[in-house]
mmCIF file of all heavy atoms in Angstrom:
data_model
loop_
_atom_site.group_PDB
_atom_site.id
_atom_site.type_symbol
_atom_site.label_atom_id
_atom_site.label_comp_id
_atom_site.label_asym_id
_atom_site.label_seq_id
_atom_site.Cartn_x
_atom_site.Cartn_y
_atom_site.Cartn_z
ATOM 1 N N VAL A 263 -15.086 3.361 13.275
ATOM 2 C CA VAL A 263 -13.796 3.885 13.714
ATOM 3 C C VAL A 263 -13.785 5.387 13.468
ATOM 4 O O VAL A 263 -13.949 5.838 12.327
ATOM 5 C CB VAL A 263 -12.621 3.221 12.971
ATOM 6 C CG1 VAL A 263 -11.287 3.744 13.501
ATOM 7 C CG2 VAL A 263 -12.683 1.699 13.102
ATOM 8 N N ASP A 264 -13.592 6.149 14.547
ATOM 9 C CA ASP A 264 -13.597 7.606 14.458
ATOM 10 C C ASP A 264 -12.221 8.126 14.872
ATOM 11 O O ASP A 264 -11.741 7.822 15.971
ATOM 12 C CB ASP A 264 -14.678 8.179 15.380
ATOM 13 C CG ASP A 264 -14.787 9.689 15.287
ATOM 14 O OD1 ASP A 264 -14.178 10.285 14.367
ATOM 15 O OD2 ASP A 264 -15.477 10.286 16.138
ATOM 16 N N PHE A 265 -11.602 8.893 13.985
ATOM 17 C CA PHE A 265 -10.257 9.405 14.246
ATOM 18 C C PHE A 265 -10.260 10.820 14.821
ATOM 19 O O PHE A 265 -9.258 11.540 14.714
ATOM 20 C CB PHE A 265 -9.429 9.355 12.959
ATOM 21 C CG PHE A 265 -9.030 7.960 12.564
ATOM 22 C CD1 PHE A 265 -9.728 7.273 11.594
ATOM 23 C CD2 PHE A 265 -7.971 7.325 13.184
ATOM 24 C CE1 PHE A 265 -9.372 5.984 11.228
ATOM 25 C CE2 PHE A 265 -7.602 6.033 12.841
ATOM 26 C CZ PHE A 265 -8.302 5.361 11.860
ATOM 27 N N ALA A 266 -11.346 11.235 15.451
ATOM 28 C CA ALA A 266 -11.394 12.545 16.104
ATOM 29 C C ALA A 266 -10.288 12.636 17.147
ATOM 30 O O ALA A 266 -10.029 11.680 17.888
ATOM 31 C CB ALA A 266 -12.759 12.756 16.760
ATOM 32 N N GLY A 267 -9.638 13.790 17.208
ATOM 33 C CA GLY A 267 -8.537 13.986 18.140
ATOM 34 C C GLY A 267 -7.172 13.788 17.526
ATOM 35 O O GLY A 267 -6.149 14.103 18.156
ATOM 36 N N SER A 268 -7.135 13.273 16.293
ATOM 37 C CA SER A 268 -5.852 13.126 15.600
ATOM 38 C C SER A 268 -5.324 14.501 15.204
ATOM 39 O O SER A 268 -6.063 15.477 15.113
ATOM 40 C CB SER A 268 -6.021 12.246 14.357
ATOM 41 O OG SER A 268 -6.399 10.935 14.721
ATOM 42 N N SER A 269 -4.035 14.575 14.952
ATOM 43 C CA SER A 269 -3.384 15.841 14.632
ATOM 44 C C SER A 269 -3.985 16.480 13.380
ATOM 45 O O SER A 269 -4.480 15.777 12.498
ATOM 46 C CB SER A 269 -1.889 15.627 14.416
ATOM 47 O OG SER A 269 -1.250 15.286 15.630
ATOM 48 N N PRO A 270 -3.912 17.802 13.302
ATOM 49 C CA PRO A 270 -4.378 18.478 12.080
ATOM 50 C C PRO A 270 -3.460 18.181 10.905
ATOM 51 O O PRO A 270 -2.335 17.683 11.078
ATOM 52 C CB PRO A 270 -4.341 19.959 12.457
ATOM 53 C CG PRO A 270 -3.335 20.047 13.561
ATOM 54 C CD PRO A 270 -3.447 18.756 14.318
ATOM 55 N N ALA A 271 -3.933 18.492 9.713
ATOM 56 C CA ALA A 271 -3.140 18.264 8.511
ATOM 57 C C ALA A 271 -1.825 19.019 8.598
ATOM 58 O O ALA A 271 -1.722 20.093 9.201
ATOM 59 C CB ALA A 271 -3.922 18.701 7.279
ATOM 60 N N SER A 272 -0.815 18.443 7.966
ATOM 61 C CA SER A 272 0.520 19.038 7.930
ATOM 62 C C SER A 272 0.646 19.954 6.717
ATOM 63 O O SER A 272 -0.091 19.818 5.737
ATOM 64 C CB SER A 272 1.568 17.925 7.847
ATOM 65 O OG SER A 272 2.864 18.439 7.600
ATOM 66 N N ILE A 273 1.596 20.893 6.772
ATOM 67 C CA ILE A 273 1.867 21.692 5.585
ATOM 68 C C ILE A 273 2.739 20.917 4.604
ATOM 69 O O ILE A 273 2.962 21.363 3.481
ATOM 70 C CB ILE A 273 2.536 23.038 5.931
ATOM 71 C CG1 ILE A 273 3.900 22.814 6.594
ATOM 72 C CG2 ILE A 273 1.622 23.870 6.799
ATOM 73 C CD1 ILE A 273 4.702 24.097 6.755
ATOM 74 N N TYR A 274 3.242 19.756 5.030
ATOM 75 C CA TYR A 274 4.090 18.926 4.173
ATOM 76 C C TYR A 274 3.296 17.739 3.617
ATOM 77 O O TYR A 274 2.170 17.469 4.035
ATOM 78 C CB TYR A 274 5.314 18.436 4.947
ATOM 79 C CG TYR A 274 6.243 19.542 5.376
ATOM 80 C CD1 TYR A 274 6.234 20.007 6.693
ATOM 81 C CD2 TYR A 274 7.112 20.140 4.462
ATOM 82 C CE1 TYR A 274 7.081 21.036 7.084
ATOM 83 C CE2 TYR A 274 7.958 21.170 4.848
ATOM 84 C CZ TYR A 274 7.941 21.614 6.154
ATOM 85 O OH TYR A 274 8.772 22.639 6.533
ATOM 86 N N GLY A 275 3.924 17.007 2.708
ATOM 87 C CA GLY A 275 3.226 15.957 1.976
ATOM 88 C C GLY A 275 3.092 14.634 2.671
ATOM 89 O O GLY A 275 3.292 13.579 2.053
#
Side-chain angles (χ1 to χ4, degrees):
V263 183
D264 183 11
F265 287 100
S268 296
S269 291
S272 171
I273 62 171
Y274 295 102

